[in-house]
Amino acid sequence: ITTANYPMQIARPFLPGEIPNYPQVRINGVGVLTQADVKQRYPDGSVKHAIITFLIPLLNANSTVTLSFRDQPTGNNTPFLSGADMLQNSFDFEAKMDLTDTNTAATVSASARTMIQNNAFTYWMKGSVATSVIIADHSVARAYDIGYDSFKPFRPIFHATFFPGINKVRVRFIGEISNTEAMEDMAYNLELRTGNTISVPVYTKN
């Protein structure tokens, strides 16, 4: 379908000296607002690797656009969203993991919204086009690890990218084994849900 303001986020390496400051995307030869989160630079200071975020103003159905890159003086990394900004009604943000024990039917849950409210997140990308955060507690406290006993072997992790210009959020759900010093079985039925006003299942697996 034809889509206005189609969000794009790509990782890209560059040659030494190719981009002295920050990369800007050109779509069919026309520059667009580009957020560049530079993760590595060469010894000469030029960009080695960057995460690039932008909106395609109009992506017509069954069409092709050509992207090219040129240098720009800034990465457009301000302003960016605070935790309170991410919880605004315009995003209607919530992401939940529900794990239901296959034996007892007991359910344990993890809420990304609650974790943001409690500042249990770190920034991965900051800028005017998008703000990306890693929502997790990787500290020794393991405050949000869940399970059916005191071992709490399951670590919920959410990667969320907020696009304020279009009031959209992209979410990645991750579950990790967090307690490597204990042995136990944890059999569960999984349900992933998004949305704060109305919580909608987006994935289920027994």
Side-chain angles (χ1 to χ4, degrees):
I1 60 173
T2 295
T3 307
N5 293 322
Y6 188 89
M8 291 287 295
Q9 193 168 67
I10 60 174
R12 194 179 192 282
F14 294 91
L15 295 173
E18 183 180 3
I19 303 292
N21 299 298
Y22 297 88
Q24 181 192 38
V25 170
R26 304 176 76 189
I27 299 176
N28 296 331
V30 179
V32 297
L33 177 63
T34 304
Q35 177 181 323
D37 291 84
V38 176
K39 298 301 181 180
Q40 286 184 306
R41 291 184 180 272
Y42 289 104
D44 67 358
S46 62
V47 177
K48 184 175 184 179
H49 182 261
I51 311 296
I52 302 167
T53 310
F54 57 98
L55 303 177
I56 299 176
L58 186 66
L59 184 60
N60 291 312
N62 304 308
S63 69
T64 299
V65 298
T66 300
L67 307 181
S68 57
F69 302 89
R70 67 180 177 190
D71 189 54
Q72 63 177 351
T74 176
N76 295 306
N77 301 114
T78 56
F80 59 89
L81 301 180
S82 66
D85 295 331
M86 300 173 207
L87 301 180
Q88 290 178 353
N89 292 336
S90 56
F91 290 115
D92 192 38
F93 174 70
E94 173 65 296
K96 286 187 175 181
M97 301 184 192
D98 291 340
L99 282 62
T100 301
D101 192 320
T102 57
N103 296 315
T104 66
T107 298
V108 290
S109 301
S111 163
R113 188 176 184 89
T114 298
M115 294 167 74
I116 288 181
Q117 288 172 336
N118 295 331
N119 292 315
F121 68 91
T122 55
Y123 287 97
W124 173 239
M125 283 166 284
K126 298 177 178 179
S128 58
V129 181
T131 297
S132 292
V133 291
I134 301 169
I135 307 167
D137 181 6
H138 292 306
S139 73
V140 295
R142 303 172 59 225
Y144 296 96
D145 291 0
I146 55 178
Y148 306 116
D149 53 34
S150 60
F151 294 125
K152 298 191 297 182
F154 186 97
R155 174 161 300 167
I157 305 169
F158 306 87
H159 292 178
T161 299
F162 296 80
F163 295 87
I166 55 176
N167 290 328
K168 299 289 186 182
V169 187
R170 179 184 292 129
V171 182
R172 172 179 289 174
F173 296 83
I174 302 169
E176 288 185 350
I177 297 172
S178 60
N179 188 348
T180 61
E181 298 180 354
M183 291 279 286
E184 68 173 338
D185 290 328
M186 184 177 175
Y188 57 87
N189 297 324
L190 175 68
E191 182 172 84
L192 308 180
R193 293 183 283 133
T194 60
N196 185 44
T197 304
I198 300 176
S199 185
V200 178
V202 293
Y203 181 82
T204 58
K205 187 174 180 64
N206 293 335

